[in-house]
Amino acid sequence: MQLSSLFPTLLLLACAKAIPTDDSIAKTPADGQSNAEPVNSSTGELLADVVMDNNAGCSPWYNWYGTGRWTYTEVQFCFYQRSTSTVAVVAQREAQYYWGAAWYYARGYGFSWNIQGTLVNGGDFEGSGKGAGPTEYYVFPEKVPAGTYAVSLNYNQVGPYWEADAAINESAQFSIVLGS
Ligand SMILES: *[C@@H]1O[C@H](CO)[C@@H](O)[C@H](O)[C@H]1NC(C)=O
Ligand SMILES: *[C@@H]1O[C@H](CO)[C@@H](O)[C@H](O)[C@H]1NC(C)=O
């Protein structure tokens, strides 16, 4: 194909990559396509060894889509004990975005996230960051005593690729056991 005839196609592609309009965000990912689902992980392993070695209490992995199913991520929340403090950690995997009837890994497209939550009877926590981690995003000013805690949190992720109108904004409730 000559470059001159390719050019309109490239223009169209460039336009299709624009931020989704209200119209396009209402569309669901191409029905009936074999690649219409994001790649996902089987459930399983916890966060990095550093967490497991430190009396960590972790949530399950959550599989979450953003508004309009333009984005997808899997995320896990852990808390672990240091000698004089308690640390909140988050890790993401399988971050993907939907474009042109298929799901793609984040690769060059970053994503950012924000977390706000409460350890019932243990204190509030919050933090923000970028990328898949694991990331320590909050250190409790005083070590949380050993015990079982109910956790309630909100997770907001923008990206990969798409902007805030395709954000993942979810809440989770789970319980954790913290060692001493
Ligand atoms: C992930 O994959 C498993 C099995 O392949 C499937 O049962 C599950 O529904 C998938 N989860 C999501 C969120 O796509
Ligand atoms: C996320 O969802 C919560 C609860 O529905 C809402 O209060 C909050 O405003 C949302 N945040 C954003 C950034 O949309």
Side-chain angles (χ1 to χ4, degrees), residues 44-55:
E45 75 277 20
L46 298 177
L47 287 175
D49 294 344
V50 62
V51 171
M52 296 184 65
D53 291 344
N54 284 282
N55 287 326

Side-chain angles (χ1 to χ4, degrees), residues 37-38 40-41 63-65 72 74:
E37 295 298 326
N40 75 7
S41 302
N63 298 359
W64 282 335
Y65 289 93
Y72 174 81
E74 299 180 6

